[in-house]
Amino acid sequence: MTKPICLALLFICFSVQSQVEYKAYYTVDVNNYYGSILKHNPDISHLITGHPSGLILSVQKKTFGKEVWQRLYNTPDYGLSFLYQNLDNEFLGEHYGLFVHYNFYFFKRLLMLRIGQGASYNTTPYDEDDNFRNVAYGTHLVSGSYALLNLKKENIFKGLGLQAGLGVVHYSNGNSKAPNKSTNTLFLNAGLTYQLDPDLPERIEKEKGLSKGAEPLGYGFIVRGGVNESDVVGSGRFPFYTFGAFIDKRLNKKSALQFGTEVFFSKALQRYIDFRAVGGFDDGTTGDEDAKRVGVYFGHELRVNKISVVTQLGYYAYYPYDFEGRTYIRAGVQYYFTKNIFGAFTVRSHAAKAEAMEFTVGYRL
């Protein structure tokens, strides 16, 4: 499920940004990293036996403030990165991932924050016969995200520069297939950068009041969907649908606040209820429970050109069957195809436990 969204993100990032008609300037970098898997879930304790290591290869296009969004974010870079990771555990195997990333700069461009989103191929996912110990990934293809916080100095000598710092990488299939306990690796990294063109144009500084741009309340509608499986391995993958409405308030050109409500229809949850009813668990489940849920949420949207980072905190107001808790978190990326029509890829989870990867189409009036 993550391959189409990764390809879409690659297309969006480069086709939209490349419309600017001026000379492009690129840098490449390579980083080695070494770290540890965080025990966010006790179920993966037996998989934390070593220290993962890997390599990050990246190419990025520099910006200089020609467009408003570039000046708003202190002229970031955007590009592609390939990430290889050896998880230092025979059951977890290795990862080969492709990501879209942005580099944001602070403190006179000496501190860089990189955020990347994409997909990765795992060599040894769960298999009930050959690899039943790998409860972290139920599929070869998983979604991935990573972040770097590095000290960085470019063009120290003939285009060469240095960077080093901390990073974290997350892999999960969003419970599109069980099991999906996922992994989070915290690591140290260090590497080289190379500036392909030593002569760069001057950056256009952000002018005062540039971020202003509050708008009246807006409202719209969303439809979400996808395929997921309950935590019962082998119970089957089923489609789910979510219908909702929202209002939002754009505070400025960067940020907007959201409030919405949505109705969830999940065949996988209905199957889980049936399983609990006939499985002799003696937990009071009869099989007649309603699998629908109604949620309300409050969220934030951080806009970077036509792409947004969406984070939401929700609460199931209608919650007839107890499944993973009444609160949920949603996070992901959103893209505006037009002023009114948008699409999104998000993951909805309960604390650190993902329930579904959601593909969304929405309309904002």
Side-chain angles (χ1 to χ4, degrees):
M1 290 182 64
T2 55
K3 186 176 181 180
I5 196 66
C6 181
L7 294 176
L9 284 171
L10 300 182
F11 174 78
I12 289 168
C13 185
F14 285 94
S15 65
V16 172
Q17 313 290 3
S18 62
Q19 294 175 11
V20 183
E21 296 181 359
Y22 59 90
K23 180 179 177 180
Y25 296 85
Y26 294 92
T27 62
V28 295
D29 61 58
V30 56
N31 286 274
N32 282 297
Y33 66 91
Y34 181 86
S36 297
I37 298 175
L38 303 176
K39 192 171 74 172
H40 70 281
N41 188 320
D43 291 345
I44 67 167
S45 298
H46 63 289
L47 300 173
I48 305 176
T49 57
H51 292 281
S53 59
L55 183 73
I56 304 173
L57 297 173
S58 304
V59 57
Q60 45 269 317
K61 182 178 180 180
K62 305 187 77 64
T63 66
F64 300 93
K66 296 286 186 179
E67 298 184 50
V68 171
W69 75 268
Q70 298 172 3
R71 301 196 297 278
L72 280 172
Y73 288 95
N74 193 28
T75 61
D77 311 329
Y78 59 91
L80 293 176
S81 47
F82 168 80
L83 194 151
Y84 164 76
Q85 181 174 7
N86 183 333
L87 288 138
D88 201 14
N89 180 278
E90 61 178 310
F91 308 114
L92 289 176
E94 299 171 309
H95 273 282
Y96 299 86
L98 188 63
F99 299 78
V100 174
H101 71 258
Y102 277 88
N103 297 336
F104 299 97
Y105 292 92
F106 310 90
F107 300 111
K108 297 183 178 180
R109 307 188 75 82
L110 294 175
L111 182 66
M112 179 198 76
L113 172 65
R114 174 182 293 178
I115 300 174
Q117 177 69 44
S120 185
Y121 179 86
N122 177 251
T123 58
T124 56
Y126 172 87
D127 183 273
E128 62 181 3
D129 296 318
D130 299 327
N131 194 19
F132 62 88
R133 291 181 177 85
N134 186 359
V135 296
Y137 324 117
T139 54
H140 278 292
L141 195 63
V142 299
S143 67
S145 55
Y146 82 100
L148 300 178
L149 186 63
N150 283 1
L151 293 174
K152 181 176 180 179
K153 180 63 176 177
E154 294 182 308
N155 197 17
I156 297 174
F157 178 74
K158 293 185 177 181
L160 286 174
L162 298 173
Q163 65 177 351
L166 290 171
V168 61
V169 58
H170 168 78
Y171 297 117
S172 168
N173 70 16
N175 231 47
S176 61
K177 186 177 181 181
N180 181 50
K181 303 302 180 183
S182 73
T183 59
N184 299 290
T185 303
L186 182 67
F187 57 81
L188 296 171
N189 77 95
L192 297 173
T193 70
Y194 182 69
Q195 188 171 293
L196 299 182
D197 192 326
D199 298 317
L200 300 181
E202 291 188 8
R203 293 181 172 85
I204 302 174
E205 297 296 329
K206 175 183 174 181
E207 57 267 37
K208 288 185 178 181
L210 181 63
S211 62
K212 293 181 179 180
E215 297 181 15
L217 287 175
Y219 61 95
F221 308 92
I222 56 95
V223 177
R224 311 186 199 274
V227 177
N228 71 332
E229 185 175 18
S230 75
D231 288 337
V232 181
V233 177
S235 59
R237 306 167 75 181
F238 298 96
F240 65 86
Y241 308 97
T242 304
F243 303 94
F246 67 89
I247 59 174
D248 66 10
K249 172 62 177 176
R250 290 182 174 174
L251 305 176
N252 49 48
K253 291 178 181 177
K254 287 184 177 181
S255 295
L257 299 179
Q258 307 167 329
F259 178 79
T261 183
E262 50 197 343
V263 183
F264 301 89
F265 299 88
S266 173
K267 180 67 175 177
L269 178 54
Q270 184 60 64
R271 184 65 177 267
Y272 178 78
I273 292 172
D274 295 339
F275 170 77
R276 299 296 298 188
V278 301
F281 293 96
D282 196 27
D283 60 359
T285 304
T286 66
D288 297 325
E289 289 82 359
D290 189 358
K292 293 191 296 294
R293 290 165 289 176
V294 177
V296 293
Y297 64 86
F298 178 78
H300 179 265
E301 180 183 353
L302 179 65
R303 303 185 67 184
V304 183
N305 201 12
K306 292 187 177 183
I307 299 173
S308 296
V309 177
V310 177
T311 52
Q312 297 170 352
L313 175 63
Y315 177 81
Y316 297 114
Y318 178 68
Y319 187 67
Y321 185 76
D322 188 13
F323 179 72
E324 309 291 3
R326 297 193 73 147
T327 59
Y328 60 93
I329 301 169
R330 176 179 288 119
V333 293
Q334 184 166 289
Y335 179 77
Y336 285 89
F337 298 101
T338 70
K339 181 180 178 181
N340 305 104
I341 300 173
F342 61 87
F345 170 69
T346 55
V347 175
R348 178 166 48 88
S349 65
H350 307 91
K353 197 169 187 178
E355 181 179 343
M357 291 191 299
E358 304 167 319
F359 295 88
T360 301
V361 175
Y363 187 84
R364 182 183 185 271
L365 299 174

